């Protein structure tokens, strides 16, 4: 591991998520085997999720190897352009909420990628769609400060756009808000985002960047390739 960021994995799912296959204990063992010093255990929640106290109790009961710091998190999608999140009331003990763009933040509720593509094909200007997406992210950071952006802008290719379409003004506003709100931004192995120009903007703004695999199986914990390539090409590393 040539980059300090790669000593951590800040987005690791367990069987508390319905799409992951490894237990919390298996993820801890994998993090230790990968030589990590930090791992953030994260699972998907919705407003109706009842098990967060059980998850926290299970984390507290883990046997953690010396030299490994275990952090906690829950991942919740943005619902609206006003920054609402799909999240239950959380007990004390969750270190960070991972704010995720699983769907597009609509005015009245989330939109699936296909619905957004149809609207763009029907005449919705991409510039307006990008304004709404970035505004939703900014509002979510402001309403829920001190948290983490998960695989940010992974939704763009799903709606037929890319990070190159964002433009310097939107990227700068997004990065400055992350710094101002103590929002950590992960560079994500699974989705390969955000890219180098956005990492440069975050660095310039003074925002904190971490690495994550977004693993759903223990064998992927702390195992980076796409993130290594991005960090190797990152001018501000």
């Amino acid at each position: 591991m040539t980059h300090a960021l790669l000593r951590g994995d800040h987005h690791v799912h367990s069987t508390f998520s319905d799409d992951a296959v490894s237990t919390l204990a298996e993820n801890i063992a994998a993090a230790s085997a990968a030589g990590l010093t930090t791992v953030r255990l994260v699972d998907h929640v919705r407003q109706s999720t009842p098990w967060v106290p059980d998850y926290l109790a299970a984390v507290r009961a883990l046997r953690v190897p010396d030299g490994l710091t275990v952090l906690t998190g829950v991942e919740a999608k943005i619902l609206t352009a006003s920054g609402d999140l799909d999240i239950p009331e959380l007990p004390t003990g969750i270190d960070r909420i991972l704010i995720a763009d699983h769907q597009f933040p609509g005015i009245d509720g989330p939109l699936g990628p296909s619905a957004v593509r149809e609207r763009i094909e029907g005449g919705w200007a991409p510039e307006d769609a990008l304004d709404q997406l970035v505004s939703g992210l900014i509002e979510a950071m402001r309403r829920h400060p001190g948290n983490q952006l998960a695989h940010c802008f992974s939704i763009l290719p799903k709606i037929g756009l890319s990070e190159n379409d964002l433009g310097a003004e939107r990227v700068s506003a997004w990065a400055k808000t992350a710094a101002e709100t103590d929002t950590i931004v992960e560079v994500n192995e699974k989705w390969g985002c955000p890219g180098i120009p956005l990492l440069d903007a975050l660095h310039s703004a003074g925002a904190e960047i971490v690495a994550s695999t977004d693993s759903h199986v223990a064998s992927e914990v702390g195992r980076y390739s796409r993130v290594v390539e991005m960090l190797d090409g990152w001018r501000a590393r």
Side-chain angles (χ1 to χ4, degrees):
M1 293 185 178
T2 57
H3 298 274
L5 291 182
L6 302 182
R7 300 289 289 178
D9 189 342
H10 287 256
H11 189 161
V12 172
H13 288 284
S14 79
T15 48
F16 277 92
S17 293
D18 56 14
D19 58 350
V21 299
S22 299
T23 65
L24 294 170
E26 288 169 336
N27 287 334
I28 291 297
S32 181
L36 300 183
T37 57
T38 304
V39 63
R40 185 181 300 282
L41 303 173
V42 175
D43 283 299
H44 295 289
V45 295
R46 300 175 179 84
Q47 290 176 345
S48 59
T49 297
W51 47 251
V52 177
D54 294 334
Y55 157 78
L56 283 172
V59 172
R60 294 189 188 105
L62 291 169
R63 298 182 64 180
V64 179
D66 291 342
L68 180 65
T69 297
V70 175
L71 305 174
T72 60
V74 292
E75 183 176 5
K77 67 177 176 290
I78 303 174
L79 293 174
T80 68
S82 298
D84 296 296
L85 298 182
D86 190 4
I87 197 163
E89 187 169 345
L90 297 176
T92 301
I94 295 294
D95 298 316
R96 299 260 174 174
I97 299 166
L98 273 66
I99 300 169
D101 58 352
H102 292 146
Q103 293 186 302
F104 189 93
I107 299 300
D108 300 315
L111 299 171
S114 60
V116 177
R117 287 197 306 270
E118 289 172 4
R119 291 189 181 195
I120 291 173
E121 291 166 2
W124 192 20
E127 294 290 306
D128 292 338
L130 290 168
D131 283 344
Q132 187 165 312
L133 173 61
V134 173
S135 293
L137 289 165
I138 286 174
E139 288 305 308
M141 287 189 279
R142 287 175 175 164
R143 290 183 61 179
H144 308 276
N147 289 297
Q148 180 172 323
L149 292 184
H151 49 70
C152 197
F153 298 116
S154 64
I155 198 168
L156 286 175
K158 301 175 188 177
I159 63 173
L161 300 172
S162 74
E163 291 182 10
N164 293 333
D165 297 314
L166 287 168
E169 185 174 345
R170 292 187 192 89
V171 170
S172 177
W174 166 79
K176 288 178 180 177
T177 303
E180 291 166 357
T181 59
D182 182 34
T183 300
I184 295 172
V185 182
E186 65 178 47
V187 54
N188 185 286
E189 174 71 18
K190 182 177 180 180
W191 296 98
C193 62
I196 291 172
L198 277 68
L199 297 179
D200 282 337
L202 291 166
H203 180 79
S204 296
E208 182 178 356
I209 300 165
V210 296
S212 78
T213 59
D214 199 352
S215 65
H216 285 60
V217 59
S219 60
E220 297 174 352
V221 174
R223 307 297 179 180
Y224 295 108
S225 58
R226 298 174 80 180
V227 168
V228 170
E229 292 177 5
M230 284 191 283
L231 293 179
D232 282 343
W234 181 23
R235 296 188 302 273
R237 65 186 184 276

